[in-house]
Amino acid sequence: MTAHSMDHPIAGRRRQIKLAVPVSLFFVGGFWAIVLLSCSAGLTGPARYFYTPLAFMVAAVLFVRFPAAYLVHVWWLWFLTPFVRRVVDFHSGWTEFSPIMLAPYVASLLMIVTLIRFLPRLNQRDMFPFAPILVGLGLAYPIGIMNAGFSPATFDALNWFLPVIMGIHVAFSWRSYEKLKISTEQVFLLGAAVVGGYGIYQFFFLAPWDAFWMRVVQMDSIGKPAPYEVRIFGTLNSPGPYADMLAASLLVALGAAGRLPWLAGMPAVVALLLSLVRAAWVGFAAGLFLLLAKMDMSKRAKLVAAVVLTIVSALPLLSIEQVSNTVTTRLETMVGSEAKEDQSYKDRVHFFQTFIVDALSNPFGMGIGATGVATKFANNGQMGEHGVVDSGLLEVPFVLGWLGGILYISGVALLVRSAFTRKWSKHDGFATVANAVALSVLVQMIFTNTLTGFIGTMFWSFIGFAIAAERHWADKADQADRADRVSGSARGVPSR
């Protein structure tokens, strides 16, 4: 075998990875160009109805031909769809149930094809924990239909099922791991720059569509619809998911190389602080701790330097009086006597004391659709009694019941344990970042349910990346071992 023929597969993989960038620019960039031009031309009315079908058509093409670009498309839909909805509603009138918001869901539905295709392989050791999770959710769906109704249960099923299916899709796409890894890293870095930068702009110059949306939804917890008085939510619908996206992006940036991480890090740090989401701050700290713990001394020193330089680069913005006062006031509520006097802390303690009986008293659970945004379907567009549940740890048994909750929690525990005890991918920096992102999301379950909806897609997809990385590097090791045996046989050396 010649050196040229040996290098050919590697060269082919490099060409494929490079190809993913123009494909993403053509399809994903083309989609957003159409949306932007339509809104700029005053065609927000038609955009309300063509946005989701067009997003699905682009997703279908990419899903079949370009898996890395498909994942990029799905991520951008999650990042920017709420922003598009606000712009459209501002110019064309408010609608409680906007078809625009379905775009990331319908694009993600294509991953059910992966689930159906590989369903028999869920009995494999690293994939088996997904089985009890799907069974637990499957048991809760019909109960949700009976208790909440078909529409609330079906809508909420998307929030519970699709993130899990996305994790399965990424895990079974391990043969494209390198392309998926590079694309995901790039989309989170660019996303941090765009979404983080917009959030900072939002703090200083609140856009009219954002102020309009705040007045309509009357979400008092995110401040007042005025500059300097808003808890920024960027291009998303609320500060929580926005902060978690930025925290994940920062962890990705700290594990990446090149100039883009530095450009993304500065706005992400400032925007994360201005979101005032303490749970996301705690989650980021947990993820950062894991990165430090998993790295060797040389990489650990580089990581510390990266953290310091990112903070230093953000100092000009953090030193602005309005920014520093806002962040400092929030930080004071996390330490000392101020923490216990904080109204949010008191409300959360009261919620735990009163809700724990409801969460654990029903062995069958209330079913999918009993909590969250889904409660609006049966409550004239307003959040129902359990529209906001301030603890993911309690929401799981409340929705899934005893059996479903045990199946779901045990599956999550097995996946996390296997991700943190991997063998082959321990020297892969992105695999370590994937574990850090998953941990940063998981530790926030005490505050809210971070395993569903947009935040859930980050947890499950990065768990999928941890599995895909392990399979990828195990396959590389097997290939190297086979090559050694073939080489040894050619030289007359007995195989082991």
Side-chain angles (χ1 to χ4, degrees), residues 148-169:
F150 178 78
S151 295
T154 302
F155 173 78
D156 207 27
L158 299 176
N159 282 315
W160 285 85
F161 276 100
L162 286 182
V164 178
I165 294 173
M166 189 170 180
I168 294 172
H169 172 80

Side-chain angles (χ1 to χ4, degrees), residues 62-90:
L62 296 177
F63 181 82
V64 174
R65 297 296 304 273
F66 307 101
Y70 166 73
L71 212 57
V72 169
H73 181 53
V74 171
W75 282 123
W76 279 115
L77 287 175
W78 280 114
F79 293 168
L80 299 180
T81 292
F83 169 78
V84 175
R85 184 258 176 96
R86 291 199 295 273
V87 172
V88 169
D89 282 0
F90 176 72

Side-chain angles (χ1 to χ4, degrees), residues 450-470:
T450 53
L451 302 187
T452 61
F454 168 61
I455 303 177
T457 62
M458 290 189 288
F459 173 81
W460 293 104
S461 62
F462 279 97
I463 283 289
F465 269 113
I467 297 172
E470 185 70 1

Side-chain angles (χ1 to χ4, degrees), residues 422-441:
R422 66 190 188 279
K423 175 184 177 183
W424 296 107
S425 57
K426 61 183 179 180
H427 298 300
D428 182 348
F430 187 78
T432 303
V433 168
N435 288 340
V437 172
L439 179 64
S440 73
V441 174

Side-chain angles (χ1 to χ4, degrees), residues 31 51-61 73 77 103 106-110:
F31 168 79
Y51 179 82
T52 295
L54 182 61
F56 177 77
M57 287 188 289
V58 172
V61 172
H73 181 53
L77 287 175
V106 299
S108 299
L109 278 173
L110 291 165

